[in-house]
Amino acid sequence: MGWKNKMDAAKRGHRPSLKDWTQDGLAHTFPAWRDAIVARSTYENENYEVQMPPGACHPQRLPALLDGARLSYDQFAKEYETHGIPCVIRNVPVAEGWAATERWQMEVLMQDEDLLERKFKCGEDDDGKNIKVKLRHFLQYMHDNTDDSPLYIFDSGFDEDRVAHRILTDYKVPSFFRDDLFRLVSERRRPPYRWWLVGPERSGTTVHIDPLNTSAWNTLIYGKKRWVLFPPNVPKSIIKGKGHIRKGEDDEAIHYFMNILPRIKETAARMGNTGDYKDFACYEFTQHAGETCFIPLGWWHAVLNLTHTVGITQNFCSPQNFAQVWKKTRSGRKMMAAKWLNALDVHYPQLADHARYMNQRDGFIMKYDPILVKQKEQEKARRAQLKAYEAKMRQEYARQQAAVQGGGSRSHQQQQQQYPPQHKHHHHPGQHHQSAYPTYHRRGGGESPTHSSTATTETSRSSVSYQGGGGGAPPSNNNNAYAYPVSNHDMKRSRRVSPP
């Protein structure tokens, strides 16, 4: 029973607080529930189920059922992906010649001596460290466990060694998803995006949306999966079952499908098309072996393995969802976004231009964009120069005030003197005169720039250039937005060197 000890250790690491993995007895109640679903959802007569109150503005039948052997890339992109329509595409592995159609059958995997000895990820501990077990041990656990929600191989590291790397040769990215724009950055830099899936019945993934606004495809080679989809407009609190999870109840995928989802649907039916349930919709369907599910960005979904399953899934970014993915990636993956933008300049210049347009429109400055970083540094230097100048003038003012107070009563001429002093320079006509004051470049009327500026709108808010090293104050005409500070209050106001 070596496999049992290994799997028990993996379960303790993955969920240390759960002492009894069989406490709900779902291994005994699940088969009848599953058989009822399978009976009404066969490959030949798929029964897609929709929950939607009268008046809700959603299609009555989703996902779209397509034949991959007859579907073209352009048709899929224009008619389905661009419009964010979930799809089930049949016959992809056979039409595109996947070796996985034979190698990933359960009876074949159980004889694959290379993969059987390789460890795959089936969970994480509380510190986020991967928990891995040998495929040999996991397959034995798959067939013999009675856990309510069993462990699930969800492995993204199968390109790390020669043995597991073979999985990459067993399948191909379906032609409909060939424009994976994240491929332009290195495998090391891009976030995890592909997973090999081996799941026992009753295992699954609870409701979620895919990261960075990516879309996803999921191809099933062996077994049956149950899906539920929610359109992007349905509130997260409703989808997550707020108010429907009872005390002490778990929220694993099997609990979601068997307990929580029915309660959500009952409440939606009772509420009608009102309140938080206005335009509510959810779509349920069964995925069969040989089918590929396409899940557009923003669609919440959960998956439950009705039987033992083997499959592959990938998240991706294409030209159709690029704008939404870029908005998330530029802030969530700053270094990768900079590398990605440089690669887009070479391979997809129109998308690179659109990314920069979005940045400018949103006032977003990329942390690692070379051009914008330089402009940001220049702006920082200008602000530091202004701060130093203000400090110098404050010191000069304090010095003169101290001199006045130390000299006793001031003369009539001193009392009438303005500060800062108006320096008089005598020079012959035509002689070059260099002012001791800084030169101010304004965006509107008044002084004109003495040099061309390529700064962005963000950096032009403080477009002040200081020339000359004199200690004098700036000109005090009414057109200048800068006034020399005479108090702390004025000091704060003076930082606005140009109109907002």
Side-chain angles (χ1 to χ4, degrees), residues 378-391:
Q378 291 173 343
E379 170 67 9
K380 184 178 180 179
R382 281 192 289 266
R383 290 181 183 275
Q385 193 174 14
L386 173 60
K387 187 175 180 180
Y389 174 82
E390 291 171 342

Side-chain angles (χ1 to χ4, degrees), residues 247-267:
K247 185 177 181 179
E249 191 171 51
D250 213 335
D251 63 350
E252 294 290 302
I254 189 168
H255 300 91
Y256 189 83
F257 276 89
M258 293 185 67
N259 301 325
I260 301 170
L261 181 59
R263 296 170 196 158
I264 295 173
K265 293 163 64 176
E266 289 173 5
T267 304

